Amino acid sequence: MNEVDKLALIGGFRAFGSSIIWPFMGFALYKVYGFSLTYVSLFYLIQAFVSVIASISGGIMTDYFGRKRMIIISIVMSSVALFIAYIINLPIPVACLILIQSYFSSIYNVSTTTIVGDMFKSSENLVKAFSRQRVGINAGWALGPLIGGYVFSTYGFRLLLLISSLLILISIPLIRLLPEFKGKSSVLDFSVSREFIIFLIPTFLTFVIIGQLGFGILTYYTSILDFTEFQVGILFAINGVMIVFLQDLMGRIINKRIKLISLGMVIYGLGYLGIALVTNFYLASVDIAVITLAEMIVTPLSQTLANSLASQKTRGKQIGLYSMVTGIGRIVGSSLISELMNYYLYTPLILWGVISSFGFISACLYYIFLRKLKSIL
């Protein structure tokens, strides 16, 4: 088995265990544990702070201890946190343990993104590697939310905590087969290029809108259109299935065409604006397909740009910075939609118009930025 396929399988097993619970976390705090939408928003803001700490410390540890070692440690500790949450099952402790799990999940993301950059050097190979990795990840995503939605609807959220804590351990034997890499700089070396910093600005806006594929969509569809959690799980499964079958093809189409990230962000904006016009499950399915098309373009190109702009000796720290920005973007997106729903839940054009604007603004910033980076295109 080649290294790309190993990464795809590892991503698939890890995503399967995580996606059973991840889309339902904020919703469970709201519906199961009685948190108000304001407190759910606060939870996501705290999670953003946790993501900052995890990304920076994770980047340092990934460079110092090694990519593979930190991947294994992060998976084990995530499992432990979820298992303890299952045992305790009280609102505040569960929220705190989910935050702990988020910390180690962020470290996992830093480590896996960094090791791909170490294994595949050129931007052409990176696009292909990240595309194949996403095939595995979304194979897990295709099944996880579907099962998670069914279990949530039938047996409740607590059982999801137990199932997730066990499933995310499955990938450890495969991870042990990967080569080990470490950074080559001192622990305190945080040298980052000006271009990398500028790139993080549209990246943040990108992941604000990407972060809606979870709490935002789930809460809106269940509250306004009376979809069940299982139906929303089907929507998430459509997202995963499309990526499983089409991401490799998309990777070949977008390879060497980094500028297509701007087009992807325009499609993202249109897809999320389209949610305001959805009136039934069939239209929701079409709209999620549009959003998924954008995801297949944007995500591997964003990861490729991050690794192309990062230097080998501090790759872990720089990808940690990238992961911090993407994590904050996702969480701010969830926090923002939660707060907006307090005022605009029943005026969807305003609600989703605000969210879609992040996609259009990001597209413009990417276009301007990439015109000055012809050397890596």
mmCIF file of all heavy atoms in Angstrom, residues 325-374:
data_model
loop_
_atom_site.group_PDB
_atom_site.id
_atom_site.type_symbol
_atom_site.label_atom_id
_atom_site.label_comp_id
_atom_site.label_asym_id
_atom_site.label_seq_id
_atom_site.Cartn_x
_atom_site.Cartn_y
_atom_site.Cartn_z
ATOM 1 N N VAL A 325 -5.839 29.377 12.387
ATOM 2 C CA VAL A 325 -6.717 30.294 11.662
ATOM 3 C C VAL A 325 -7.939 29.561 11.108
ATOM 4 O O VAL A 325 -9.063 30.055 11.190
ATOM 5 C CB VAL A 325 -5.941 31.001 10.533
ATOM 6 C CG1 VAL A 325 -6.882 31.789 9.626
ATOM 7 C CG2 VAL A 325 -4.890 31.928 11.129
ATOM 8 N N THR A 326 -7.717 28.349 10.550
ATOM 9 C CA THR A 326 -8.860 27.594 10.023
ATOM 10 C C THR A 326 -9.795 27.165 11.155
ATOM 11 O O THR A 326 -11.019 27.205 11.009
ATOM 12 C CB THR A 326 -8.397 26.355 9.244
ATOM 13 O OG1 THR A 326 -7.671 25.468 10.109
ATOM 14 C CG2 THR A 326 -7.513 26.753 8.072
ATOM 15 N N GLY A 327 -9.214 26.766 12.287
ATOM 16 C CA GLY A 327 -10.038 26.367 13.427
ATOM 17 C C GLY A 327 -10.831 27.525 13.983
ATOM 18 O O GLY A 327 -12.029 27.399 14.276
ATOM 19 N N ILE A 328 -10.171 28.680 14.124
ATOM 20 C CA ILE A 328 -10.889 29.863 14.609
ATOM 21 C C ILE A 328 -11.987 30.243 13.622
ATOM 22 O O ILE A 328 -13.104 30.605 14.013
ATOM 23 C CB ILE A 328 -9.913 31.042 14.809
ATOM 24 C CG1 ILE A 328 -8.970 30.755 15.968
ATOM 25 C CG2 ILE A 328 -10.674 32.336 15.083
ATOM 26 C CD1 ILE A 328 -7.893 31.802 16.148
ATOM 27 N N GLY A 329 -11.664 30.164 12.330
ATOM 28 C CA GLY A 329 -12.670 30.490 11.322
ATOM 29 C C GLY A 329 -13.907 29.612 11.440
ATOM 30 O O GLY A 329 -15.041 30.103 11.421
ATOM 31 N N ARG A 330 -13.704 28.301 11.555
ATOM 32 C CA ARG A 330 -14.834 27.381 11.704
ATOM 33 C C ARG A 330 -15.663 27.717 12.939
ATOM 34 O O ARG A 330 -16.898 27.752 12.887
ATOM 35 C CB ARG A 330 -14.324 25.936 11.828
ATOM 36 C CG ARG A 330 -13.773 25.318 10.566
ATOM 37 C CD ARG A 330 -13.314 23.902 10.853
ATOM 38 N NE ARG A 330 -12.634 23.284 9.752
ATOM 39 C CZ ARG A 330 -13.246 22.618 8.750
ATOM 40 N NH1 ARG A 330 -14.558 22.537 8.738
ATOM 41 N NH2 ARG A 330 -12.538 22.059 7.776
ATOM 42 N N ILE A 331 -14.974 27.945 14.057
ATOM 43 C CA ILE A 331 -15.675 28.159 15.316
ATOM 44 C C ILE A 331 -16.367 29.514 15.337
ATOM 45 O O ILE A 331 -17.499 29.641 15.808
ATOM 46 C CB ILE A 331 -14.697 27.994 16.495
ATOM 47 C CG1 ILE A 331 -14.220 26.536 16.562
ATOM 48 C CG2 ILE A 331 -15.348 28.385 17.810
ATOM 49 C CD1 ILE A 331 -12.987 26.323 17.400
ATOM 50 N N VAL A 332 -15.692 30.545 14.812
ATOM 51 C CA VAL A 332 -16.342 31.851 14.705
ATOM 52 C C VAL A 332 -17.566 31.744 13.798
ATOM 53 O O VAL A 332 -18.600 32.384 14.059
ATOM 54 C CB VAL A 332 -15.352 32.907 14.166
ATOM 55 C CG1 VAL A 332 -16.074 34.185 13.762
ATOM 56 C CG2 VAL A 332 -14.305 33.226 15.232
ATOM 57 N N GLY A 333 -17.462 30.925 12.754
ATOM 58 C CA GLY A 333 -18.621 30.711 11.890
ATOM 59 C C GLY A 333 -19.796 30.127 12.648
ATOM 60 O O GLY A 333 -20.940 30.581 12.505
ATOM 61 N N SER A 334 -19.536 29.117 13.476
ATOM 62 C CA SER A 334 -20.603 28.509 14.278
ATOM 63 C C SER A 334 -21.135 29.492 15.321
ATOM 64 O O SER A 334 -22.340 29.571 15.576
ATOM 65 C CB SER A 334 -20.077 27.244 14.972
ATOM 66 O OG SER A 334 -19.732 26.260 14.029
ATOM 67 N N SER A 335 -20.228 30.251 15.947
ATOM 68 C CA SER A 335 -20.634 31.233 16.946
ATOM 69 C C SER A 335 -21.461 32.347 16.302
ATOM 70 O O SER A 335 -22.486 32.779 16.841
ATOM 71 C CB SER A 335 -19.399 31.823 17.634
ATOM 72 O OG SER A 335 -19.761 32.783 18.595
ATOM 73 N N LEU A 336 -21.000 32.798 15.131
ATOM 74 C CA LEU A 336 -21.697 33.878 14.435
ATOM 75 C C LEU A 336 -23.102 33.460 14.038
ATOM 76 O O LEU A 336 -24.068 34.207 14.264
ATOM 77 C CB LEU A 336 -20.900 34.282 13.186
ATOM 78 C CG LEU A 336 -21.557 35.327 12.276
ATOM 79 C CD1 LEU A 336 -21.720 36.649 13.014
ATOM 80 C CD2 LEU A 336 -20.721 35.515 11.010
ATOM 81 N N ILE A 337 -23.251 32.265 13.459
ATOM 82 C CA ILE A 337 -24.587 31.836 13.031
ATOM 83 C C ILE A 337 -25.500 31.642 14.239
ATOM 84 O O ILE A 337 -26.689 31.944 14.189
ATOM 85 C CB ILE A 337 -24.503 30.538 12.186
ATOM 86 C CG1 ILE A 337 -25.829 30.263 11.461
ATOM 87 C CG2 ILE A 337 -24.133 29.334 13.029
ATOM 88 C CD1 ILE A 337 -26.127 31.206 10.355
ATOM 89 N N SER A 338 -24.931 31.183 15.354
ATOM 90 C CA SER A 338 -25.724 31.019 16.569
ATOM 91 C C SER A 338 -26.260 32.358 17.054
ATOM 92 O O SER A 338 -27.431 32.486 17.423
ATOM 93 C CB SER A 338 -24.867 30.357 17.657
ATOM 94 O OG SER A 338 -25.587 30.248 18.863
ATOM 95 N N GLU A 339 -25.403 33.377 17.038
ATOM 96 C CA GLU A 339 -25.828 34.710 17.479
ATOM 97 C C GLU A 339 -26.811 35.323 16.483
ATOM 98 O O GLU A 339 -27.818 35.936 16.879
ATOM 99 C CB GLU A 339 -24.605 35.602 17.655
ATOM 100 C CG GLU A 339 -24.896 36.934 18.327
ATOM 101 C CD GLU A 339 -25.435 36.789 19.740
ATOM 102 O OE1 GLU A 339 -25.162 35.758 20.388
ATOM 103 O OE2 GLU A 339 -26.144 37.716 20.193
ATOM 104 N N LEU A 340 -26.547 35.174 15.197
ATOM 105 C CA LEU A 340 -27.448 35.719 14.176
ATOM 106 C C LEU A 340 -28.838 35.096 14.260
ATOM 107 O O LEU A 340 -29.848 35.762 14.006
ATOM 108 C CB LEU A 340 -26.867 35.487 12.781
ATOM 109 C CG LEU A 340 -25.660 36.345 12.376
ATOM 110 C CD1 LEU A 340 -25.095 35.867 11.041
ATOM 111 C CD2 LEU A 340 -26.052 37.819 12.288
ATOM 112 N N MET A 341 -28.890 33.809 14.649
ATOM 113 C CA MET A 341 -30.180 33.131 14.747
ATOM 114 C C MET A 341 -31.056 33.706 15.853
ATOM 115 O O MET A 341 -32.276 33.552 15.824
ATOM 116 C CB MET A 341 -29.977 31.629 14.960
ATOM 117 C CG MET A 341 -29.594 30.890 13.694
ATOM 118 S SD MET A 341 -29.296 29.129 13.983
ATOM 119 C CE MET A 341 -28.978 28.562 12.311
ATOM 120 N N ASN A 342 -30.443 34.363 16.832
ATOM 121 C CA ASN A 342 -31.239 35.028 17.866
ATOM 122 C C ASN A 342 -32.111 36.130 17.273
ATOM 123 O O ASN A 342 -33.164 36.470 17.827
ATOM 124 C CB ASN A 342 -30.324 35.634 18.942
ATOM 125 C CG ASN A 342 -29.892 34.613 19.977
ATOM 126 O OD1 ASN A 342 -30.690 33.796 20.418
ATOM 127 N ND2 ASN A 342 -28.626 34.649 20.361
ATOM 128 N N TYR A 343 -31.658 36.705 16.150
ATOM 129 C CA TYR A 343 -32.352 37.862 15.563
ATOM 130 C C TYR A 343 -32.959 37.570 14.195
ATOM 131 O O TYR A 343 -34.001 38.132 13.847
ATOM 132 C CB TYR A 343 -31.370 39.030 15.426
ATOM 133 C CG TYR A 343 -30.653 39.369 16.714
ATOM 134 C CD1 TYR A 343 -29.357 38.908 16.953
ATOM 135 C CD2 TYR A 343 -31.274 40.134 17.702
ATOM 136 C CE1 TYR A 343 -28.687 39.211 18.132
ATOM 137 C CE2 TYR A 343 -30.624 40.427 18.886
ATOM 138 C CZ TYR A 343 -29.332 39.968 19.099
ATOM 139 O OH TYR A 343 -28.678 40.255 20.284
ATOM 140 N N TYR A 344 -32.323 36.690 13.414
ATOM 141 C CA TYR A 344 -32.718 36.530 12.014
ATOM 142 C C TYR A 344 -33.074 35.100 11.637
ATOM 143 O O TYR A 344 -33.089 34.761 10.452
ATOM 144 C CB TYR A 344 -31.580 37.021 11.102
ATOM 145 C CG TYR A 344 -31.164 38.444 11.369
ATOM 146 C CD1 TYR A 344 -29.888 38.722 11.850
ATOM 147 C CD2 TYR A 344 -32.048 39.503 11.148
ATOM 148 C CE1 TYR A 344 -29.495 40.030 12.107
ATOM 149 C CE2 TYR A 344 -31.669 40.811 11.396
ATOM 150 C CZ TYR A 344 -30.400 41.072 11.883
ATOM 151 O OH TYR A 344 -30.017 42.368 12.132
ATOM 152 N N LEU A 345 -33.387 34.264 12.621
ATOM 153 C CA LEU A 345 -33.715 32.873 12.310
ATOM 154 C C LEU A 345 -34.893 32.777 11.347
ATOM 155 O O LEU A 345 -34.937 31.893 10.490
ATOM 156 C CB LEU A 345 -34.024 32.104 13.603
ATOM 157 C CG LEU A 345 -34.325 30.602 13.450
ATOM 158 C CD1 LEU A 345 -33.146 29.871 12.815
ATOM 159 C CD2 LEU A 345 -34.658 29.985 14.812
ATOM 160 N N TYR A 346 -35.831 33.702 11.469
ATOM 161 C CA TYR A 346 -37.035 33.655 10.637
ATOM 162 C C TYR A 346 -36.978 34.639 9.471
ATOM 163 O O TYR A 346 -37.987 34.884 8.819
ATOM 164 C CB TYR A 346 -38.266 33.896 11.506
ATOM 165 C CG TYR A 346 -38.425 32.827 12.568
ATOM 166 C CD1 TYR A 346 -38.007 33.059 13.875
ATOM 167 C CD2 TYR A 346 -38.942 31.571 12.249
ATOM 168 C CE1 TYR A 346 -38.115 32.069 14.846
ATOM 169 C CE2 TYR A 346 -39.061 30.580 13.210
ATOM 170 C CZ TYR A 346 -38.636 30.837 14.508
ATOM 171 O OH TYR A 346 -38.738 29.848 15.478
ATOM 172 N N THR A 347 -35.819 35.212 9.229
ATOM 173 C CA THR A 347 -35.585 36.031 8.029
ATOM 174 C C THR A 347 -34.347 35.474 7.319
ATOM 175 O O THR A 347 -33.254 36.035 7.409
ATOM 176 C CB THR A 347 -35.383 37.520 8.396
ATOM 177 O OG1 THR A 347 -34.386 37.620 9.422
ATOM 178 C CG2 THR A 347 -36.686 38.138 8.865
ATOM 179 N N PRO A 348 -34.527 34.363 6.624
ATOM 180 C CA PRO A 348 -33.381 33.603 6.093
ATOM 181 C C PRO A 348 -32.530 34.359 5.079
ATOM 182 O O PRO A 348 -31.329 34.100 4.980
ATOM 183 C CB PRO A 348 -34.030 32.364 5.466
ATOM 184 C CG PRO A 348 -35.466 32.708 5.279
ATOM 185 C CD PRO A 348 -35.803 33.670 6.368
ATOM 186 N N LEU A 349 -33.108 35.290 4.321
ATOM 187 C CA LEU A 349 -32.298 36.018 3.350
ATOM 188 C C LEU A 349 -31.228 36.864 4.044
ATOM 189 O O LEU A 349 -30.100 36.983 3.553
ATOM 190 C CB LEU A 349 -33.187 36.897 2.469
ATOM 191 C CG LEU A 349 -33.879 36.190 1.293
ATOM 192 C CD1 LEU A 349 -34.831 37.140 0.588
ATOM 193 C CD2 LEU A 349 -32.845 35.635 0.311
ATOM 194 N N ILE A 350 -31.581 37.447 5.173
ATOM 195 C CA ILE A 350 -30.584 38.210 5.929
ATOM 196 C C ILE A 350 -29.583 37.259 6.571
ATOM 197 O O ILE A 350 -28.361 37.465 6.501
ATOM 198 C CB ILE A 350 -31.260 39.083 7.005
ATOM 199 C CG1 ILE A 350 -32.159 40.143 6.347
ATOM 200 C CG2 ILE A 350 -30.208 39.751 7.887
ATOM 201 C CD1 ILE A 350 -32.920 41.003 7.330
ATOM 202 N N LEU A 351 -30.101 36.202 7.214
ATOM 203 C CA LEU A 351 -29.257 35.246 7.912
ATOM 204 C C LEU A 351 -28.182 34.667 6.991
ATOM 205 O O LEU A 351 -26.982 34.748 7.266
ATOM 206 C CB LEU A 351 -30.116 34.122 8.502
ATOM 207 C CG LEU A 351 -29.384 33.003 9.233
ATOM 208 C CD1 LEU A 351 -28.754 33.522 10.515
ATOM 209 C CD2 LEU A 351 -30.346 31.845 9.551
ATOM 210 N N TRP A 352 -28.622 34.091 5.886
ATOM 211 C CA TRP A 352 -27.673 33.431 4.987
ATOM 212 C C TRP A 352 -26.989 34.408 4.043
ATOM 213 O O TRP A 352 -25.914 34.099 3.499
ATOM 214 C CB TRP A 352 -28.372 32.316 4.225
ATOM 215 C CG TRP A 352 -28.815 31.232 5.161
ATOM 216 C CD1 TRP A 352 -30.086 30.940 5.543
ATOM 217 C CD2 TRP A 352 -27.955 30.337 5.890
ATOM 218 N NE1 TRP A 352 -30.088 29.915 6.456
ATOM 219 C CE2 TRP A 352 -28.799 29.521 6.689
ATOM 220 C CE3 TRP A 352 -26.586 30.145 5.946
ATOM 221 C CZ2 TRP A 352 -28.286 28.524 7.530
ATOM 222 C CZ3 TRP A 352 -26.074 29.158 6.785
ATOM 223 C CH2 TRP A 352 -26.931 28.364 7.562
ATOM 224 N N GLY A 353 -27.573 35.607 3.872
ATOM 225 C CA GLY A 353 -26.889 36.646 3.110
ATOM 226 C C GLY A 353 -25.611 37.099 3.808
ATOM 227 O O GLY A 353 -24.573 37.303 3.166
ATOM 228 N N VAL A 354 -25.681 37.232 5.136
ATOM 229 C CA VAL A 354 -24.489 37.600 5.905
ATOM 230 C C VAL A 354 -23.426 36.514 5.778
ATOM 231 O O VAL A 354 -22.242 36.797 5.548
ATOM 232 C CB VAL A 354 -24.846 37.837 7.388
ATOM 233 C CG1 VAL A 354 -23.577 38.007 8.223
ATOM 234 C CG2 VAL A 354 -25.740 39.059 7.533
ATOM 235 N N ILE A 355 -23.848 35.262 5.931
ATOM 236 C CA ILE A 355 -22.887 34.154 5.850
ATOM 237 C C ILE A 355 -22.266 34.060 4.462
ATOM 238 O O ILE A 355 -21.040 33.898 4.322
ATOM 239 C CB ILE A 355 -23.579 32.823 6.218
ATOM 240 C CG1 ILE A 355 -24.081 32.846 7.669
ATOM 241 C CG2 ILE A 355 -22.635 31.651 5.982
ATOM 242 C CD1 ILE A 355 -22.996 33.063 8.700
ATOM 243 N N SER A 356 -23.070 34.189 3.421
ATOM 244 C CA SER A 356 -22.553 34.050 2.055
ATOM 245 C C SER A 356 -21.568 35.153 1.705
ATOM 246 O O SER A 356 -20.670 34.960 0.865
ATOM 247 C CB SER A 356 -23.699 34.037 1.045
ATOM 248 O OG SER A 356 -24.362 35.295 0.998
ATOM 249 N N SER A 357 -21.691 36.312 2.350
ATOM 250 C CA SER A 357 -20.784 37.422 2.040
ATOM 251 C C SER A 357 -19.333 37.067 2.340
ATOM 252 O O SER A 357 -18.409 37.579 1.686
ATOM 253 C CB SER A 357 -21.194 38.671 2.838
ATOM 254 O OG SER A 357 -20.973 38.495 4.230
ATOM 255 N N PHE A 358 -19.107 36.190 3.309
ATOM 256 C CA PHE A 358 -17.745 35.769 3.613
ATOM 257 C C PHE A 358 -17.117 35.049 2.415
ATOM 258 O O PHE A 358 -15.921 35.160 2.173
ATOM 259 C CB PHE A 358 -17.728 34.865 4.848
ATOM 260 C CG PHE A 358 -17.935 35.595 6.139
ATOM 261 C CD1 PHE A 358 -19.207 35.830 6.631
ATOM 262 C CD2 PHE A 358 -16.852 36.063 6.864
ATOM 263 C CE1 PHE A 358 -19.398 36.511 7.812
ATOM 264 C CE2 PHE A 358 -17.024 36.744 8.055
ATOM 265 C CZ PHE A 358 -18.312 36.970 8.529
ATOM 266 N N GLY A 359 -17.926 34.288 1.685
ATOM 267 C CA GLY A 359 -17.426 33.591 0.508
ATOM 268 C C GLY A 359 -17.035 34.546 -0.600
ATOM 269 O O GLY A 359 -15.963 34.413 -1.209
ATOM 270 N N PHE A 360 -17.877 35.544 -0.860
ATOM 271 C CA PHE A 360 -17.603 36.489 -1.948
ATOM 272 C C PHE A 360 -16.393 37.378 -1.629
ATOM 273 O O PHE A 360 -15.565 37.647 -2.500
ATOM 274 C CB PHE A 360 -18.843 37.343 -2.220
ATOM 275 C CG PHE A 360 -20.048 36.539 -2.622
ATOM 276 C CD1 PHE A 360 -21.278 36.726 -2.007
ATOM 277 C CD2 PHE A 360 -19.954 35.569 -3.619
ATOM 278 C CE1 PHE A 360 -22.390 35.992 -2.379
ATOM 279 C CE2 PHE A 360 -21.064 34.822 -4.009
ATOM 280 C CZ PHE A 360 -22.281 35.029 -3.375
ATOM 281 N N ILE A 361 -16.299 37.838 -0.386
ATOM 282 C CA ILE A 361 -15.151 38.669 0.009
ATOM 283 C C ILE A 361 -13.859 37.862 -0.076
ATOM 284 O O ILE A 361 -12.824 38.339 -0.568
ATOM 285 C CB ILE A 361 -15.350 39.227 1.432
ATOM 286 C CG1 ILE A 361 -16.545 40.183 1.457
ATOM 287 C CG2 ILE A 361 -14.091 39.943 1.911
ATOM 288 C CD1 ILE A 361 -16.962 40.598 2.857
ATOM 289 N N SER A 362 -13.898 36.617 0.403
ATOM 290 C CA SER A 362 -12.730 35.759 0.358
ATOM 291 C C SER A 362 -12.282 35.523 -1.081
ATOM 292 O O SER A 362 -11.085 35.529 -1.385
ATOM 293 C CB SER A 362 -13.040 34.424 1.041
ATOM 294 O OG SER A 362 -11.916 33.580 1.029
ATOM 295 N N ALA A 363 -13.231 35.326 -1.997
ATOM 296 C CA ALA A 363 -12.894 35.101 -3.402
ATOM 297 C C ALA A 363 -12.111 36.282 -3.969
ATOM 298 O O ALA A 363 -11.111 36.096 -4.692
ATOM 299 C CB ALA A 363 -14.169 34.879 -4.214
ATOM 300 N N CYS A 364 -12.544 37.485 -3.644
ATOM 301 C CA CYS A 364 -11.845 38.679 -4.132
ATOM 302 C C CYS A 364 -10.429 38.767 -3.572
ATOM 303 O O CYS A 364 -9.474 39.084 -4.288
ATOM 304 C CB CYS A 364 -12.641 39.934 -3.755
ATOM 305 S SG CYS A 364 -14.242 40.076 -4.576
ATOM 306 N N LEU A 365 -10.279 38.475 -2.280
ATOM 307 C CA LEU A 365 -8.957 38.560 -1.648
ATOM 308 C C LEU A 365 -8.001 37.509 -2.202
ATOM 309 O O LEU A 365 -6.810 37.788 -2.419
ATOM 310 C CB LEU A 365 -9.097 38.412 -0.131
ATOM 311 C CG LEU A 365 -9.825 39.551 0.592
ATOM 312 C CD1 LEU A 365 -9.943 39.247 2.079
ATOM 313 C CD2 LEU A 365 -9.108 40.879 0.372
ATOM 314 N N TYR A 366 -8.499 36.288 -2.444
ATOM 315 C CA TYR A 366 -7.652 35.253 -3.048
ATOM 316 C C TYR A 366 -7.173 35.685 -4.437
ATOM 317 O O TYR A 366 -6.017 35.478 -4.802
ATOM 318 C CB TYR A 366 -8.412 33.939 -3.175
ATOM 319 C CG TYR A 366 -8.441 33.084 -1.938
ATOM 320 C CD1 TYR A 366 -9.646 32.597 -1.442
ATOM 321 C CD2 TYR A 366 -7.273 32.743 -1.261
ATOM 322 C CE1 TYR A 366 -9.689 31.794 -0.301
ATOM 323 C CE2 TYR A 366 -7.308 31.943 -0.128
ATOM 324 C CZ TYR A 366 -8.519 31.481 0.348
ATOM 325 O OH TYR A 366 -8.552 30.692 1.464
ATOM 326 N N TYR A 367 -8.077 36.264 -5.209
ATOM 327 C CA TYR A 367 -7.733 36.675 -6.571
ATOM 328 C C TYR A 367 -6.607 37.707 -6.554
ATOM 329 O O TYR A 367 -5.629 37.603 -7.307
ATOM 330 C CB TYR A 367 -8.968 37.245 -7.270
ATOM 331 C CG TYR A 367 -8.687 37.742 -8.667
ATOM 332 C CD1 TYR A 367 -8.546 36.843 -9.727
ATOM 333 C CD2 TYR A 367 -8.543 39.105 -8.929
ATOM 334 C CE1 TYR A 367 -8.282 37.286 -11.015
ATOM 335 C CE2 TYR A 367 -8.270 39.561 -10.208
ATOM 336 C CZ TYR A 367 -8.146 38.650 -11.243
ATOM 337 O OH TYR A 367 -7.878 39.103 -12.511
ATOM 338 N N ILE A 368 -6.739 38.700 -5.673
ATOM 339 C CA ILE A 368 -5.705 39.739 -5.559
ATOM 340 C C ILE A 368 -4.386 39.138 -5.090
ATOM 341 O O ILE A 368 -3.305 39.442 -5.621
ATOM 342 C CB ILE A 368 -6.178 40.846 -4.596
ATOM 343 C CG1 ILE A 368 -7.398 41.573 -5.174
ATOM 344 C CG2 ILE A 368 -5.044 41.837 -4.310
ATOM 345 C CD1 ILE A 368 -8.086 42.491 -4.177
ATOM 346 N N PHE A 369 -4.475 38.264 -4.075
ATOM 347 C CA PHE A 369 -3.277 37.657 -3.494
ATOM 348 C C PHE A 369 -2.528 36.791 -4.502
ATOM 349 O O PHE A 369 -1.298 36.878 -4.646
ATOM 350 C CB PHE A 369 -3.686 36.831 -2.275
ATOM 351 C CG PHE A 369 -2.578 36.003 -1.681
ATOM 352 C CD1 PHE A 369 -1.503 36.598 -1.033
ATOM 353 C CD2 PHE A 369 -2.607 34.614 -1.769
ATOM 354 C CE1 PHE A 369 -0.485 35.838 -0.481
ATOM 355 C CE2 PHE A 369 -1.596 33.848 -1.221
ATOM 356 C CZ PHE A 369 -0.539 34.461 -0.583
ATOM 357 N N LEU A 370 -3.260 35.965 -5.238
ATOM 358 C CA LEU A 370 -2.614 35.000 -6.131
ATOM 359 C C LEU A 370 -2.004 35.654 -7.364
ATOM 360 O O LEU A 370 -1.094 35.068 -7.996
ATOM 361 C CB LEU A 370 -3.621 33.926 -6.537
ATOM 362 C CG LEU A 370 -4.025 32.976 -5.423
ATOM 363 C CD1 LEU A 370 -5.144 32.043 -5.851
ATOM 364 C CD2 LEU A 370 -2.811 32.148 -4.957
ATOM 365 N N ARG A 371 -2.457 36.828 -7.718
ATOM 366 C CA ARG A 371 -1.845 37.540 -8.841
ATOM 367 C C ARG A 371 -0.387 37.885 -8.530
ATOM 368 O O ARG A 371 0.419 38.084 -9.443
ATOM 369 C CB ARG A 371 -2.618 38.814 -9.169
ATOM 370 C CG ARG A 371 -3.985 38.560 -9.784
ATOM 371 C CD ARG A 371 -4.660 39.836 -10.184
ATOM 372 N NE ARG A 371 -3.929 40.524 -11.242
ATOM 373 C CZ ARG A 371 -4.285 41.706 -11.738
ATOM 374 N NH1 ARG A 371 -5.336 42.338 -11.259
ATOM 375 N NH2 ARG A 371 -3.588 42.262 -12.714
ATOM 376 N N LYS A 372 -0.055 37.954 -7.244
ATOM 377 C CA LYS A 372 1.304 38.311 -6.830
ATOM 378 C C LYS A 372 2.153 37.080 -6.496
ATOM 379 O O LYS A 372 3.283 37.208 -6.027
ATOM 380 C CB LYS A 372 1.246 39.228 -5.622
ATOM 381 C CG LYS A 372 0.471 40.526 -5.887
ATOM 382 C CD LYS A 372 0.397 41.395 -4.643
ATOM 383 C CE LYS A 372 -0.373 42.675 -4.921
ATOM 384 N NZ LYS A 372 -0.476 43.542 -3.701
ATOM 385 N N LEU A 373 1.588 35.887 -6.698
ATOM 386 C CA LEU A 373 2.320 34.669 -6.348
ATOM 387 C C LEU A 373 2.485 33.742 -7.549
ATOM 388 O O LEU A 373 2.326 32.535 -7.441
ATOM 389 C CB LEU A 373 1.578 33.917 -5.229
ATOM 390 C CG LEU A 373 1.666 34.531 -3.827
ATOM 391 C CD1 LEU A 373 0.843 33.701 -2.852
ATOM 392 C CD2 LEU A 373 3.098 34.624 -3.354
ATOM 393 N N LYS A 374 2.800 34.287 -8.674
ATOM 394 C CA LYS A 374 2.896 33.494 -9.916
ATOM 395 C C LYS A 374 3.975 32.434 -9.829
ATOM 396 O O LYS A 374 3.932 31.425 -10.533
ATOM 397 C CB LYS A 374 3.167 34.414 -11.102
ATOM 398 C CG LYS A 374 2.010 35.364 -11.383
ATOM 399 C CD LYS A 374 2.333 36.270 -12.581
ATOM 400 C CE LYS A 374 1.180 37.226 -12.857
ATOM 401 N NZ LYS A 374 1.468 38.129 -13.988
#
